[in-house]
Amino acid sequence: LPSSPLPIPKQEMVNPDVFPIFFQLGTYAVFALIAYFAESGRAFEWRSPKELKWVVLDTFLIVYLYGVFRFREGLTKQEYGEKKETNEEPLLPKENAAGIIRNAERTAGNAGEQLPNFLLSMYMYAMVRPFTAAVIGLIELALMAAYPFLFGYDAKKLGPGLSLSTIPRYMLNEYMAMASIMALFGFVKNSA
């Protein structure tokens, strides 16, 4: 084979940061242990529409809130930042337009990132505990609504309380998913 005219730098294998992987696995193990006792005697079974009415209401409310966040994102970009096709200036130039736009983008983005996991885990958990899944859905809705206020309006840094919205939502989603799987496969403590 002919040699390359350009020198190819030698690349060394970089070890990825494995802490997040082990932390996530540890989190699932803790939730599995909690579910083993908390879901004692529970089974994963299909529920009637009457039992799921509050879960369906939560679904409507959270999808509606997601739509509000997406609409707010578009209006914010139109009002503060991006020029329209007609090359008009933004309607209201603001000194902190970048922070306001970033808040709207990340609020809608975070909602979109967590929404599929939340809906899947809530409906799975509704097959174990319908009313509890609905209550967790309301908590999720409140935490999601708090996100834009906790994110802050600084263009370069996050609000100090942002993790008060995101981390509990991750934990609720993971618990509902793990508890559902534990009940589905019968890995919960027998109530007898």
Side-chain angles (χ1 to χ4, degrees):
L1 292 172
S3 64
S4 172
L6 300 173
I8 299 174
K10 184 178 179 184
Q11 296 179 355
E12 293 186 28
M13 181 71 164
V14 178
N15 289 330
D17 185 7
V18 294
F19 174 76
I21 296 168
F22 287 115
F23 180 78
Q24 190 68 40
L25 290 174
T27 303
Y28 282 122
V30 168
F31 287 144
L33 184 63
I34 293 170
Y36 176 79
F37 294 104
E39 308 304 332
S40 176
R42 298 283 176 174
F44 188 99
E45 55 193 23
W46 296 114
R47 303 298 176 153
S48 71
K50 186 176 182 180
E51 290 176 289
L52 296 175
K53 67 183 174 187
W54 298 111
V55 173
V56 172
L57 178 63
D58 284 348
T59 303
F60 169 78
L61 292 173
I62 208 149
V63 170
Y64 181 81
L65 182 60
Y66 174 64
V68 168
F69 287 162
R70 280 291 174 203
F71 190 68
R72 174 180 172 255
E73 178 186 21
L75 288 178
T76 301
K77 286 180 178 180
Q78 177 184 351
E79 187 171 333
Y80 294 112
E82 297 178 356
K83 293 183 179 182
K84 300 179 197 84
E85 292 177 9
T86 60
N87 291 328
E88 295 176 18
E89 289 300 317
L91 297 176
L92 297 171
K94 283 271 207 175
E95 61 183 54
N96 190 26
I100 295 168
I101 291 171
R102 183 170 181 242
N103 178 292
E105 287 176 342
R106 284 309 311 140
T107 298
N110 183 269
E113 291 161 7
Q114 291 211 26
L115 194 59
N117 294 332
F118 165 70
L119 290 175
L120 178 63
S121 63
M122 181 177 68
Y123 274 91
M124 286 174 48
Y125 193 57
M127 300 304 144
V128 179
R129 289 186 183 217
F131 186 73
T132 306
V135 170
I136 291 173
L138 286 177
I139 294 168
E140 179 92 14
L141 181 68
L143 292 169
M144 187 174 165
Y147 186 94
F149 304 103
L150 297 172
F151 187 87
Y153 292 95
D154 191 322
K156 301 205 185 279
K157 63 181 181 178
L158 301 175
L162 183 62
S163 60
L164 295 175
S165 172
T166 56
I167 292 175
R169 288 164 53 204
Y170 290 130
M171 293 174 74
L172 292 172
N173 295 345
E174 291 170 3
Y175 177 76
M176 288 190 295
M178 186 54 76
S180 302
I181 292 168
M182 296 285 289
L184 176 64
F185 288 101
F187 294 144
V188 293
K189 183 178 177 192
N190 291 330
S191 59

